[in-house]
Amino acid sequence: MSATDVNQALLRDLKANGADFFVSVPCKLLGGFISTLEQDNEITYRAVNREEEGLGICTGAWLAGRKPVIVMQNTGVGTLITSLCSLGLYYRLPFLMVISHRGSPGEPIGAQVPMGTAVETLLQTINIPTYMFSDPSDTKKVGQLVPFTDVAEGPVAAILDYDFWGAR
Amino acid sequence: MRRYELLKSITPLLTDEEFVICNLGFPSQELYSLRDSDNHFYMLGSMGLSSSIGLGLSMEIDNTVIAIDGDGSVLMNLGTLSTIALEDCKNFILFIVDNGSYGSTGDQPTHTAKGTSLAAIAKAAGIDSSVEVAGADAADKLAQCMKTPGPHVIVAKVEPGSQAMNPIPLTSLAIRDRFREAVKAAQAKT
């Protein structure tokens, strides 16, 4: 599957499962996916400055009946932990985080590795259901996490590595 | 005038046509004691995100959305002022209670007590209707903003200090669900 195909397949499967409101903070692994989001007229997509801001905007949208997805790099999890706890978990807000995994094998920048190594444990420590994906043919499984947020009654994380994005 | 008296001056303006996001424990308790409504979302944690929640809501509904925020909280999430400007939601009002202090933690001074102007920052972020007013004039300004297209930022200058209150006797899920139902009912009307 080409990189373009995985971006289109991922958005198709997220939409097919009800996602209709997206925010993102950029990542080089997400560049193609963000372009795909920008070009889709059936969804609401906004770029935001920071992950917490995105969580706030998604909360407002969910309160108005939308099904939000936060698209972000794993480094953003570090700044998001408090708000994930005191907003996402306290009010049990069912939204999906689609997280690119910098600092995993394929990573050329050493500074990315410490957070890349910590991210899964950080999310598990605050009891966010967290799933790792490496296979680009798994877009359907990632999409199925959208309704799973309602089953889990709270935030859910999908961490997608270099292999998923066809980036190494 | 402290935040409590300021909130007391604006609650007569609220009807069940507006939706209010309220920042943190003390302000939410004060608002709850003055006027409670299904249309109030009491955001009891996640300091800094009242503005962003209000923005996300105002993108999706036609009713006026008022995010009640604090100076310390806005200073934690200044970036969202630029997003509010870009989004340009006509129905959004960010009402900042600027008492120059972190009220929940013992009234330590914030940088607005030492010269930072949130109205000037909001204006520079691209929100043309950004104004600082004395607390006593804030209700008149809010009434005016509720009748004119936004987005608006009102920075209401007041003295530090909180009114002693009991915690809000609602669970987080009760706050969430009654608010969401109220939004759904408002959407069904339009």
Side-chain angles (χ1 to χ4, degrees):
Chain A
M1 187 180 280
S2 77
T4 306
D5 291 343
V6 75
N7 293 324
Q8 286 174 356
L10 180 58
L11 181 55
R12 178 198 67 208
D13 290 335
L14 290 167
K15 283 169 64 179
N17 282 283
D20 60 6
F21 189 101
F22 295 74
V23 300
S24 82
V25 181
C27 168
K28 76 165 185 177
L29 292 176
L30 295 170
F33 186 57
I34 288 172
S35 298
T36 309
L37 290 169
E38 285 169 344
Q39 288 160 23
D40 193 304
N41 296 324
E42 295 173 355
I43 57 164
T44 301
Y45 165 70
R46 295 293 186 274
V48 295
N49 296 302
R50 204 171 169 88
E51 294 78 3
E52 298 97 306
E53 181 194 20
L55 172 55
I57 291 170
C58 285
T59 299
W62 181 80
L63 288 167
R66 302 296 293 269
K67 193 63 181 168
V69 175
I70 302 181
V71 179
M72 56 185 274
Q73 187 180 97
N74 65 294
T75 45
V77 171
T79 67
L80 194 55
I81 293 284
T82 297
S83 299
L84 272 177
C85 289
S86 63
L87 187 62
L89 290 170
Y90 185 56
Y91 292 94
R92 302 187 78 149
L93 302 171
F95 64 88
L96 180 64
M97 291 177 279
V98 169
I99 302 170
S100 59
H101 198 180
R102 294 294 303 270
S104 63
E107 176 62 54
I109 309 293
Q112 292 282 359
V113 176
M115 193 62 190
T117 307
V119 62
E120 186 181 6
T121 312
L122 286 172
L123 288 165
Q124 287 170 344
T125 298
I126 59 168
N127 291 318
I128 303 278
T130 302
Y131 307 97
M132 316 289 281
F133 296 92
S134 289
D135 188 338
S137 65
D138 278 345
T139 56
K140 194 171 173 186
K141 290 183 187 170
V142 179
Q144 285 167 347
L145 292 177
V146 174
F148 184 66
T149 61
D150 294 311
V151 177
E153 298 185 77
V156 171
I159 301 180
L160 314 177
D161 69 6
Y162 274 80
D163 290 329
F164 182 91
W165 300 107
R168 74 164 173 148
Chain B
M1 180 182 262
R2 300 169 305 161
R3 181 183 55 236
Y4 180 75
E5 290 80 24
L6 173 67
L7 293 177
K8 196 173 186 177
S9 76
I10 66 165
T11 45
L13 299 173
L14 300 177
T15 70
D16 284 338
E17 295 297 311
E18 297 83 29
F19 287 88
V20 176
I21 312 295
C22 190
N23 184 45
L24 294 178
F26 285 180
S28 291
Q29 289 166 21
E30 291 177 359
L31 178 63
Y32 177 85
S33 78
L34 290 163
R35 178 183 187 273
D36 182 40
S37 166
D38 290 356
N39 292 29
H40 293 179
F41 184 82
Y42 303 110
M43 184 201 73
L44 301 173
S46 60
M47 182 172 177
L49 295 191
S50 180
S51 50
S52 303
I53 296 171
L55 172 61
L57 181 66
S58 67
M59 288 167 64
E60 297 298 329
I61 64 174
D62 295 328
N63 303 58
T64 297
V65 175
I66 303 170
I68 298 176
D69 219 329
D71 49 299
S73 297
V74 173
L75 285 167
M76 280 191 180
N77 188 18
L78 286 175
T80 212
L81 294 172
S82 65
T83 311
I84 291 166
L86 287 176
E87 201 58 39
D88 201 26
C89 291
K90 305 299 178 200
N91 58 338
F92 185 54
I93 301 172
L94 177 59
F95 185 87
I96 303 172
V97 180
D98 185 356
N99 60 10
S101 72
Y102 294 103
S104 299
T105 55
D107 290 331
Q108 298 88 350
T110 71
H111 291 184
T112 70
K114 300 173 181 179
T116 297
S117 166
L118 291 173
I121 293 172
K123 191 161 272 194
I127 307 168
D128 294 332
S129 174
S130 298
V131 67
E132 179 179 303
V133 294
D137 300 326
D140 285 348
K141 185 65 196 175
L142 179 59
Q144 184 193 328
C145 289
M146 287 166 73
K147 290 180 203 141
T148 51
H152 302 287
V153 172
I154 302 169
V155 181
K157 300 292 274 191
V158 289
E159 298 296 316
S162 301
Q163 189 82 0
M165 290 286 164
N166 293 318
I168 295 172
L170 295 170
T171 65
S172 55
L173 297 190
I175 293 168
R176 180 194 79 168
D177 290 341
R178 68 180 200 158
F179 186 88
R180 201 161 187 249
E181 286 304 312
V183 172
K184 198 188 234 179
Q187 287 173 316
K189 276 193 208 167
T190 55

